[in-house]
Amino acid sequence: MAVVPVAGLLPCVAPGAVPREPNPEQDDGFRRLSARLCALRPEDSSSARTEIHLLFDQLISENYSDGSGVAAEDVSALLVQACRLVPLNQNHLVSKVSQLIHHLLNRLQVIVDEQHLDFLLAYTISAIQQCSSWTHMEILQALAALVYCNGSKCQKYLPDLLGKTGLLMKLSDLAQSDPEVRRAAVHCLANLCLSVPGQPYLEEPYQNICFQAFLTTLQSPKSSDMDDITFCMLLQNALRGIQSLLNGGKMKLKQTEELGALLAVLKKSMFHGLPGLNIEMPSVLYPTPLPQYDGRPPVKPQQSESSASRPTVNKKKKSKVKPKKTQQGEDEEESGGEMEAAPVISTCRGNLREGSTRHTSSVGVQGLPLDGSGATGKDRVSSAFSSSSWKRVSSSESDYSDAEGGMQSKMRSYQAKVRQGALACFLSTIKSIEKKVLYGYWSAFVPDTPELGSPQSVSLMTLTLKDPSPKTRACALQVLSAILDGSKQFLSVAEDTSDHRRAFTPFSVMIASSIRELHRCLLLALAAESSSQTLTQIIKCLANLVSNAPYNRLKLSLLTKVWTQIKPYIRHKGAIVSTHAPLPEVQLLLQQPCSSGLSHSSSATPHLSPSDWWKKAPAGPSLEEASVSSPQGSSEPCWLIRLCISTIVLPKEDSCSGSDAGSAAGSTYEPSPMRLEALQVLAHLARGYFSMAQVYLMELGEVICKCMGEADPSIQLHGAKLLEELGTGLTQQYKPDSTIAPDQRVPVFLVVMFWTMMLNGPLPRALQNSEHPTLQASACDALSSILPEAFSSLPVVMFWTMMLNGPLPRALQNSEHPTLQASACDALSSILPEAFSSLPNDRQILCITMLLGLNDSKNRLVKAATSRALGVYVLFPCLRQDVIFVADTANAILMSLQDKSLNVRAKAAWSLGNLTDTLIVNMETSDPSFQEEFSGLLLLKMLRSAIEASKDKDKVKSNAVRALGNLLHFLQPSHIEKPRFAEIIEESIQALISTVLIEAAMKVRWNACYAMGNVFKNPALPLGIAPWTSQAYNALTSVVTSCKNFKVRIRSATALSIPNKREQYGSVDQYAQIWDALVTALQKSEDTTDFLEFKYCASLRTQICQALIHLLSLASASDLPCINRTLTLNGDMIQSYILQFLKSGAEEDDTGAPRSPQERDQMVTMALKHLNSVQALAGDTAKRAVVGFLEDTLAIYFDSSG
């Protein structure tokens, strides 16, 4: 073959591409060499091969420090030309062109376009098939660079690469003799799985093939011919491939075995090379079944399985390296060198395309940003192309000089990268599976308090406390935070106990022990950590733990320990004041004087002079009177509130002391993020610890006025939110069911002063601020929290003239800002009923007219808000008996139920439910005029619309069935007698029956059972004789015995106990079926696989017992044989539960079950009295047996109660 110059040829560029102007700051070497290469044509001669070798070497050695002057299409075209010049029988040239492909694509950050990719892929695949094995390493590196982010464009070649006899499958197999080739093949697979947002993913069959290849790689031990660093790089590539499948490929782990195998290898890889640890893992981790309650020991095989999956620590291989020295060395390497850049989702290009020798082929730590922004995993894939991510590339081993620690330092760094890659992959796994699945593996990754003399189990906290790399520690903390996030329901079963005499450890105690150990380990890490980035992650992880742990069920002191150690970091937003508030332990901590731990914070806790706070005090009682009238028992100041107030309103310490705080420039205050955090803490305190916040009510009012008067919209918004929390707290104190003693409440006159300050200050301005609709909405919410007692004391003219004659009507009519209109509708709906009734008649009409008019809006946001507001107004006592208003509202709601927007239909269905609640309330009044005047045709329309809505999405369906139940309950005999109602009644009941039985959301089925109970309350309906009777009872009995959700079972049992006449239960067979179903439900009242259902077991048994006693109180002589048969088989079980029912006190349920033991034993007594009055059938002994059962039950109960 000879290569001769071709005169007059232009540089090889893509067809149709316009050559770019060279970068004047960069040598034009690439264009010059490209022109020379494109001027050659194939010709067989040794001189030609030499010239090509020389050109390739020059292209590889060219300085590409700034590649902005080289177009991607020019690079792709040059590579195609280079391949055309090199026949596949020239092994050395094939190796050299492969190096060129890898080098140019890597250094110039080029992703090959589809046009050139087809040729280059065909060439490299043919090269692997035809060239000598010693060239495979370089060819695979070129292939990895070509397929990088191009997986979706390689469909044509996937059978050749990933088929049963595919090249990459053979070369990545365990049988591959060359470890470097195997590593390079796995690297190709990983790059093939990397997807680009907006492009198709790798097809599912190929995803599964790659996943199994990666999993096999991670499960396989290091072969004897593979060195440690190559093995680390092999593991990194496999981990990165799985992470790409989970993130970009949206792969779902559906099989338990598949997920368990992945978690097992991830746990093993998380500790790879960690000094002092040598763990052995089973091939699969199996989830621990989550028990439903604490009263049953876990099954023994589960215990052994759990212990089998818990890795053991090899104490013999304890690290002899001094921890301090190791820590320093790792810190120096990570902060000073390019090897360990901060982990970001955008894995460096150099990391994705490995160099000809071993270089920093790190998996990055995808998905684990140290800034804690939470934008991890798939949410940040797009940043893989950011320019900054390419700059952290080290592409040769020369980065590891002897001065940097030599091979030992290099080895530690590679091992740390494996651990980081495993943690990144684990984080992606967490995001791809449901939390309830994840928590089955809780014990495998979260520490538990070790038993006396036993070693601590290996967990994420092991890495946090012992890993020498601060980056790895931070990654482990981020994974732990992701596990803790949203764990409130799971952790809610935790409960401390001092009873150690049991033969087993209840699940609740295990979780409580795990929570305690998490506190202990995180606080140890907080005290020992030196890296500021890792310290941030510890604090955020603590915040997640504190937000989700059920401290009200745990022993005291946990929060005190957290509080003590977190005080020096008080500037961080803490979750302590917002978790399960109010907690007595936190209340005591808030009252303690501020310790020296805050000495570096802004002037510790400066106490402000009252004169600074009352310059603008409104007319009213003096300060002394106000302070004297403060609630008793709340006089102790809260240092945290004082600190937050000073942070928000006082100038910084270095500001001019003589400047007035109220007029100081914005730069003199603390930074805006710090002031926002302080406002949020105040809002949390007002929500959870209002008894402490109320002492500072007027001071906080001044803070709100100041914040809402500033220019920064964020400060204004959080000031409005603080106002809403304070207003809500005041309202809660004066609710009828409030447990706050009258002398502990904020006096009404002080509340009047507070709201007068708001209305004379920033609130009207916020309501009129059309530039910031979010602020307007928040101001509306704040306005709705005015205490009725205070409202009645406010000047009505000042308040409502300001609102209804001013900003609200304008906001409602502002069609240019639909968000503002929607917020104004929400504000109108927040008017208290008592306040609305005191409005002048024309103002009431104005509100109603505007809402009914806005219901025709074409904007879905406005229409949804209007539908909701109408649903609120229809419950107002002063409006609900107005037949015309109720009818107009009904027509408006029915129109919205036809809207295309699901949100509008959902709000309309909710309002329809409220409207039908109003019908029931009106029906229960002594005045029948409303029922007589309400249109029968409108009732028909409402029933038809509700039937259609019951077939809609769950958000609509749940309220549609509620409305159906109310409407069927409301129907009068005059309606039921009409033929046109017969068909619609049948359809309505069939809709309810089908909704009871379908596998829908819990709320939908609960509402359907509730609605069925409402139907049974209407004595005019032919319950017991109608054809639908058996279907209705069959549906309810099916639910009460088999529904997974116990709240739905409770509601169905309640519905079964509503009919108050024996004939309403139908035939003897029907009665027997209901009785047997309730007994079966009682037997199964403890059977559930969902630990969250445990807390409803007692309520379910209570309701079933009430239903059984109710059935006994209506039983006829024909029913007694069936009852007797059941008592013969299950009498002891039924009696034990009835005795529990009789002895139990008041429970928090809404089923209508009798609350006191006296009411309950009276139920049994009445049932016994009824049975004694039943005329037994001739020769039937069933009556005597059933009566004897009840008499024995009552005797046992009265004996036990003394």
Side-chain angles (χ1 to χ4, degrees), residues 412-424:
R412 285 201 312 269
S413 179
Y414 273 98
Q415 290 172 338
K417 285 186 168 78
V418 172
R419 298 196 294 274
Q420 293 158 19
L423 290 166

Side-chain angles (χ1 to χ4, degrees), residues 356-367:
S356 56
T357 57
R358 295 190 201 99
H359 58 73
T360 62
S361 159
S362 165
V363 291
V365 178
Q366 296 186 352

Side-chain angles (χ1 to χ4, degrees), residues 1062-1087:
R1062 170 60 189 87
E1063 54 267 26
Q1064 290 180 317
Y1065 282 103
S1067 65
V1068 173
D1069 290 341
Q1070 185 71 65
Y1071 180 96
Q1073 181 197 350
I1074 297 169
W1075 172 269
D1076 290 341
L1078 288 169
V1079 172
T1080 303
L1082 195 60
Q1083 285 178 306
K1084 297 166 67 175
S1085 62
E1086 294 183 1
D1087 298 343

Side-chain angles (χ1 to χ4, degrees), residues 236-271:
Q236 289 174 35
N237 287 326
L239 289 166
R240 183 168 56 81
I242 292 178
Q243 190 183 1
S244 295
L245 288 173
L246 294 172
N247 284 352
K250 303 293 187 295
M251 183 178 180
K252 296 299 179 185
L253 302 168
K254 299 175 183 177
Q255 302 298 323
T256 302
E257 293 278 337
E258 194 177 58
L259 176 60
L262 175 59
L263 292 178
V265 295
L266 288 181
K267 184 166 183 180
K268 184 177 181 181
S269 302
M270 278 161 43
F271 299 99

Side-chain angles (χ1 to χ4, degrees), residues 528-591:
E529 187 55 60
S530 58
S531 164
S532 60
Q533 291 177 323
T534 311
L535 194 62
T536 301
Q537 292 304 323
I538 294 173
I539 293 172
K540 290 181 176 179
C541 196
L542 268 172
N544 247 339
L545 175 60
V546 168
S547 297
N548 291 285
Y551 292 100
N552 53 330
R553 296 169 61 88
L554 302 173
K555 291 177 181 176
L556 293 177
S557 81
L558 281 181
L559 275 177
T560 304
K561 292 175 182 175
V562 175
W563 189 278
T564 302
Q565 284 196 237
I566 211 72
K567 263 190 176 181
Y569 311 99
I570 196 67
R571 289 306 188 186
H572 296 274
K573 181 185 176 185
I576 290 179
V577 297
S578 62
T579 176
H580 295 280
L583 290 174
E585 185 179 0
V586 174
Q587 196 150 348
L588 288 173
L589 292 168
L590 288 168
Q591 291 174 341

